[in-house]
Amino acid sequence: MRHNKKVNHLSRKKAHLDAMLSNMTISLIKHKRIFTTLAKAKELRKFAEPIINRAKVDSTNNRRVVFSYLQDKAAVTELFQNISQKIAERPGGYTRILKTGNRLGDNAKTCFIELVDYNENMLKSAETKKTGRTRRSRKSAPKAEAPAVETPAAEAPATEAAAE
């Protein structure tokens, strides 16, 4: 049984896992999207989202806490200056994982993980989407009318005229 085993260690020791997640978070902050395996992306989301959440409040203590995880001044500066403005009103869910298929060499499930507020294509479709009712029920749904059926008699003279 897997009681109290919430962390996927990804076949690595603790120091290696922490270094890998830190480096992947730095790459995610700098590039806004990274391509990786699904298992690593799921673990990265658990590691990166609390760090990104700290950037909402720009204080010396929060910068020091984030720097203790990332150890990269450029990434911390980018996180607190640019990313924090985009995520200010978002209550959570700063990353999105999109599956891309299996890798050719070892058939591992691959995906890319990205920051939600930096995908322009998804933002455009969200803005153009009409906001309607989200809950549907059979009782309140309008009855669909039967489609008009064309009579075959109307088509019959046209086919006879074409045959002559």
Side-chain angles (χ1 to χ4, degrees):
M1 290 189 215
R2 296 193 69 244
H3 296 305
N4 294 328
K5 295 181 181 179
K6 295 179 181 177
V7 177
N8 183 358
H9 299 288
L10 300 171
S11 300
R12 288 163 173 81
K13 303 244 175 162
K14 174 87 169 93
H16 185 188
L17 182 67
D18 288 344
M20 183 193 68
L21 291 174
S22 174
N23 290 334
M24 289 177 74
T25 305
I26 291 167
S27 296
L28 180 65
I29 290 169
K30 287 182 177 178
H31 302 293
K32 313 301 187 262
R33 174 187 293 180
I34 57 173
F35 188 79
T36 183
T37 62
L38 186 61
K40 285 181 186 176
K42 287 180 179 180
E43 283 303 308
L44 177 62
R45 180 169 50 186
K46 285 191 242 178
F47 184 83
E49 294 226 359
I51 292 173
I52 295 171
N53 196 30
R54 282 245 179 212
K56 284 185 173 183
V57 179
D58 190 5
S59 66
T60 305
N61 185 49
N62 282 347
R63 283 182 178 264
R64 286 178 177 167
V65 169
V66 169
F67 185 76
S68 72
Y69 286 107
L70 299 184
Q71 298 290 316
D72 188 339
K73 285 184 182 180
V76 172
T77 305
E78 172 75 16
L79 180 63
F80 278 90
Q81 285 182 351
N82 300 332
I83 296 175
S84 64
Q85 273 92 38
K86 287 215 173 194
I87 64 163
E89 67 277 350
R90 184 175 288 276
Y94 310 114
T95 58
R96 174 187 299 126
I97 295 175
L98 295 170
K99 297 175 186 174
T100 57
N102 293 349
R103 194 160 51 196
L104 287 177
D106 58 354
N107 206 29
K109 294 179 182 178
T110 57
C111 65
F112 61 84
I113 182 169
E114 65 182 2
L115 295 175
V116 171
D117 294 321
Y118 282 90
N119 189 344
E120 291 82 19
N121 295 330
M122 292 279 217
L123 291 176
K124 287 178 188 174
S125 65
E127 291 171 0
T128 59
K129 187 180 277 188
K130 182 181 173 184
T131 58
R133 292 180 47 190
T134 57
R135 293 185 176 215
R136 296 182 182 174
S137 65
R138 292 183 176 195
K139 294 178 186 174
S140 64
K143 302 275 182 177
E145 295 182 16
V149 178
E150 295 182 19
T151 59
E155 293 179 8
T159 55
E160 290 176 4
E164 291 177 1

